[in-house]
Amino acid sequence: SQTIHQWPATLVQPVGSPLSLECTVEGTSNPNLYWYRQAAGRGLQLLFYSVGIGQISSEVPQNLSASRPQDRQFILSSKKLLLSDSGFYLCAWRRWGDFQETQYFGPGTRLLVL
Amino acid sequence: QKEVEQNSGPLSVPEGAIASLNCTYSDRGSQSFFWYRQYSGKSPELIMFIYSNGDKEDGRFTAQLNKASQYVSLLIRDSQPSDSATYLCAVLNAGNNRKLIWGLGTSLAVNP
């Protein structure tokens, strides 16, 4: 069976500090991977998605970046955090070739920027 | 702009009743439709997906799709307090840009 991991689970960071969130998927190959942000009282915002190693598509201009160094690893980064970066960061995966595009979410990372 | 709309709620139902959650979408070419449940502080979990007109049942859950009216709903029979959560509707948009478009969710409270 497939499992998706995210860490850390929670993070409190000062404004201007760097960020690195990691997501890994087990039990599948060549998944599509997604980073979402869910701010308090707001919907899911797609930040990045990746169809393969080194292939990243950005959905929203911002101070965040993503990388996919390995098939089942997806990393979200920032060089300098803003207050507005606070939120619940969710990684999701989709099985390659899944016509229905069903996405499955990891447990999430709650980020508070102070 | 392609949109998915849900009543934010809260929708309050007594235990044992049927909860009806609704979602409308703007892209007539949308292909697949998903319902996710999100407990407070947790990540969304898939409940059901549907892609054909009509009803799809899974246990106490029934998804209903009407493409002509651009409407998808989720019925929860015999509602339990453990069903209290936010329910997110997501729609797969048509075309090459195959991404999920998300609603803001409906908050459901099942009262014992």
Side-chain angles (χ1 to χ4, degrees):
Chain A
S1 64
Q2 297 80 24
T3 308
I4 180 168
H5 302 280
Q6 287 186 247
W7 62 88
T10 59
L11 195 58
V12 180
Q13 292 285 95
V15 169
S17 63
L19 174 74
S20 180
L21 304 181
E22 188 166 343
C23 169
T24 59
V25 181
E26 296 178 356
T28 188
S29 296
N30 197 26
N32 279 20
L33 296 173
Y34 306 82
W35 277 113
Y36 288 89
R37 177 171 59 204
Q38 189 175 39
R42 300 180 65 179
L44 283 167
Q45 179 187 31
L46 180 63
L47 302 175
F48 301 95
Y49 71 95
S50 171
V51 299
I53 296 174
Q55 300 179 67
I56 309 294
S57 295
S58 174
E59 290 296 300
V60 182
Q62 58 215 329
N63 67 319
L64 299 172
S65 62
S67 62
R68 186 166 175 179
Q70 300 181 43
D71 180 45
R72 287 169 286 182
Q73 184 184 32
F74 203 22
I75 297 173
L76 182 70
S77 303
S78 175
K79 292 182 179 179
K80 287 186 177 182
L81 284 169
L82 306 173
L83 286 174
S84 57
D85 291 324
S86 294
F88 193 32
Y89 287 81
L90 293 157
C91 181
W93 73 277
R94 175 175 73 82
R95 184 177 292 110
W96 183 86
D98 180 358
F99 172 77
Q100 301 306 331
E101 308 278 344
T102 306
Q103 294 183 19
Y104 301 92
F105 287 88
T109 294
R110 195 162 300 279
L111 172 66
L112 179 61
V113 182
L114 299 175
Chain B
Q1 184 175 351
K2 298 168 183 173
E3 295 181 343
V4 174
E5 296 192 359
Q6 298 180 253
N7 188 324
S8 63
L11 173 66
S12 183
V13 301
E15 183 174 356
I18 296 175
S20 178
L21 305 162
N22 304 317
C23 174
T24 59
Y25 58 95
S26 62
D27 183 2
R28 186 168 290 279
S30 296
Q31 300 174 335
S32 302
F33 307 84
F34 304 84
W35 283 102
Y36 286 78
R37 176 176 63 199
Q38 186 174 24
Y39 291 114
S40 180
K42 301 296 185 181
S43 61
E45 56 178 321
L46 179 71
I47 297 176
M48 295 185 70
F49 70 85
I50 186 169
Y51 56 89
S52 297
N53 273 328
D55 295 359
K56 180 181 179 181
E57 186 175 318
D58 183 1
R60 295 187 297 112
F61 299 97
T62 299
Q64 299 177 317
L65 175 61
N66 184 326
K67 289 187 177 181
S69 300
Q70 296 176 239
Y71 172 98
V72 58
S73 65
L74 179 70
L75 302 179
I76 306 175
R77 291 182 300 281
D78 188 24
S79 295
Q80 301 297 310
S82 59
D83 295 325
S84 298
T86 295
Y87 289 80
L88 303 174
C89 173
V91 174
L92 178 64
N93 67 312
N96 294 327
N97 189 15
R98 296 173 64 84
K99 297 186 182 71
L100 290 182
I101 310 298
W102 294 86
L104 296 181
T106 297
S107 175
L108 172 67
V110 180
N111 305 308

